[in-house]
Amino acid sequence: MTRFEPNLRIPGPVGLPPSVRAAGGRQMINHRSPEFAAMLVRVLDRMRPFFGTDNDIAILSCSGSGGMEAVVVNTISPGDRVLVLSIGSFGDRFAEVATAFGANVTKLDFEWGTAADPAVVRAHLAANPGYRAVLITHNETSTGVINPLAELAAVCREVQPEALILVDGISSIGAVPFEMDAWGVDVAVTASQKAWMSAPGLAMVAASRRAWHAMETTTGPRFYFDLRAHRKAHATGETPWTPAVAAFFQVDEGLRLLEQETTAGVFARHLACAAATRAAIAELGFPMLAAPAHASKTVTAVLIPDGLDWKAFNAAVTRRGIVLAGGQGKLTGKIFRVGHLGSATVEEILGVAAAFEGALIELGRPVTPGAAVAAAQRAALASAAAPVAEEK
Ligand SMILES: *Cc1c(COP(=O)(O)O)cnc(C)c1O
């Protein structure tokens, strides 16, 4: 396994394009300098279209979970009643963070592998008035499901207009359409190692006008993750504390590549990769966790078929240079996941299909050589030919 680089097919960190990798190796600069300030402005300006917002974004030096914590401590006070819509591990994590900071949390659980049902959410909100916030995972990375966020946000706005809508978009923003302002989302968070094709180290948090306003009256303690301090520093081209400068260099370069590709091109590539992945998996006869209507465009969760030795399969796939993700939480040992976000290309997915065929043939399963590759290629071509549908 030293002759080639791994095809890193986990849902973050993603593999780095060569120019992004090189950017991470640059000499340090003064983070209180015109050079850093120019980079910060460039990053914020190029990121805004992917959030679909005209509002201010704060860039924190931490992983995605740190960004989730920032969302919670800045908008929720101890004792506030909040509703968490959970469809998997990351929804549960959002609830854990809110609980850790003293929120009075109600968790509305939906079966893992399904999306949150707007009708159920509507009924719950109508029967339980007075929530300070509703916490929603846009793309549940643990199950490969994307929530109908526009619809869910519309229901919240209609039934409990006072409730802030706080969204974990860590594995969706930058990869699929996200229209924060149009959908009425109040706070949205993402992280550098997902769609932004960079190393882990930065979390980006965007907030609506009313969310920035709400932050002034939140009563819980906060310091490092105080978004007001970040916003104030960003206004003069700085960060409040020393930032992860190398990750900044990478996100700057990643955004340059994404901008070059255009948002429509980026979204279309993710659709093609997702379609190719699902087609290859289906051709091999593996069931998938998510129904097609709610299937994520950035990660596919595959049920391990009865009789398939997962360890032997994964070892055979790994020998072929493909790195897969296992299941999380209660899905451990039941599923594996194929990440296709950030730098992912259709050709990398065709490589996954080929490796799966080879691994299964090695394990003595009846597989037609080339069949999964062909199915994936056809699906990607069909996806590329179809107009990019607006994600809701
Ligand atoms: C990756 C991810 C996180 C966690 O981010 P870390 O960087 O691992 O802290 C949270 N939510 C979702 C949906 C994710 O995909």
Side-chain angles (χ1 to χ4, degrees):
M1 265 285 294
T2 50
R3 289 172 294 120
F4 46 83
E5 292 205 310
N7 182 348
L8 192 59
R9 300 267 59 87
I10 63 175
V14 303
L16 307 181
S19 64
V20 170
R21 193 148 94 179
R26 279 185 54 193
Q27 181 58 280
M28 286 297 108
I29 58 170
N30 181 0
H31 61 293
R32 314 239 179 255
S33 66
E35 191 182 357
F36 183 86
M39 175 168 66
L40 178 60
V41 168
R42 220 166 33 235
V43 165
L44 292 171
D45 285 348
R46 282 176 167 159
M47 199 159 262
R48 250 182 226 105
F50 287 101
F51 276 87
T53 189
D54 291 330
N55 274 301
D56 289 335
I57 300 174
I59 305 188
L60 320 172
S61 291
C62 58
S63 84
S65 301
M68 294 165 79
E69 182 166 323
V71 173
V72 167
V73 298
N74 282 280
T75 60
I76 299 170
S77 300
D80 278 350
R81 290 181 55 233
V82 304
L83 178 67
V84 179
L85 309 183
S86 180
I87 62 169
S89 285
F90 289 108
D92 284 359
R93 183 176 303 179
F94 225 174
E96 282 173 43
V97 176
T99 302
F101 288 95
N104 179 355
V105 175
T106 300
K107 190 153 69 82
L108 201 50
D109 285 299
F110 296 86
E111 195 186 332
W112 288 24
T114 69
D117 180 346
V120 172
V121 175
R122 175 185 294 279
H124 180 91
L125 289 173
N128 300 275
Y131 283 119
R132 161 74 171 180
V134 182
L135 283 60
I136 309 174
T137 316
H138 185 204
N139 185 81
E140 180 48 77
T141 315
S142 69
T143 60
V145 170
I146 186 161
N147 263 323
L149 182 59
E151 241 179 293
L152 293 169
V155 165
C156 295
R157 283 282 178 155
E158 186 192 327
V159 185
Q160 289 201 26
E162 300 299 311
L164 294 170
I165 301 172
L166 313 179
V167 173
D168 172 354
I170 294 178
S171 63
S172 59
I173 300 173
V176 302
F178 193 93
E179 293 295 338
M180 181 166 172
D181 294 352
W183 297 346
V185 168
D186 287 291
V187 187
V189 55
T190 178
S192 53
Q193 79 275 24
K194 306 276 171 114
W196 314 99
M197 322 195 275
S198 300
L202 296 177
M204 304 79 169
V205 183
S208 68
R209 249 168 230 98
R210 75 168 183 168
W212 284 111
H213 188 72
M215 288 180 214
E216 299 299 332
T217 54
T218 306
T219 60
R222 58 197 136 141
F223 183 78
Y224 185 81
F225 287 141
D226 192 331
L227 291 174
R228 296 167 303 175
H230 287 78
R231 184 195 208 192
K232 190 163 164 238
H234 288 0
T236 58
E238 295 188 22
T239 53
W241 339 116
T242 310
V245 175
F248 254 105
F249 287 150
Q250 293 195 326
V251 168
D252 186 27
E253 174 60 15
L255 278 166
R256 194 185 67 79
L257 297 176
L258 292 174
E259 187 182 52
Q260 212 168 50
E261 193 180 359
T262 76
T263 50
V266 171
F267 301 155
R269 174 167 55 80
H270 282 85
L271 287 178
C273 286
T277 304
R278 287 184 72 88
I281 302 285
E283 177 65 32
L284 293 169
F286 287 35
M288 279 165 279
L289 187 58
H294 298 297
S296 167
K297 308 300 180 262
T298 59
V299 55
T300 296
V302 184
L303 289 155
I304 298 167
D306 284 341
L308 179 72
D309 180 343
W310 157 246
K311 281 208 170 113
F313 175 69
N314 194 33
V317 169
T318 304
R319 276 199 301 282
R320 287 165 172 79
I322 311 288
V323 182
L324 299 173
Q328 283 172 287
K330 61 186 177 200
L331 290 173
T332 305
K334 298 200 166 64
I335 63 163
F336 66 84
R337 292 169 302 151
V338 183
H340 34 83
L341 76 165
S343 54
T345 63
V346 166
E347 287 67 31
E348 284 177 307
I349 301 305
L350 298 180
V352 172
F356 281 10
E357 290 178 358
L360 291 169
I361 290 167
E362 183 186 318
L363 296 179
R365 300 194 45 126
V367 166
T368 308
V373 176
Q377 182 77 281
R378 275 195 300 271
L381 292 169
S383 170
V388 177
E390 268 297 301
E391 192 72 41
K392 276 211 293 176

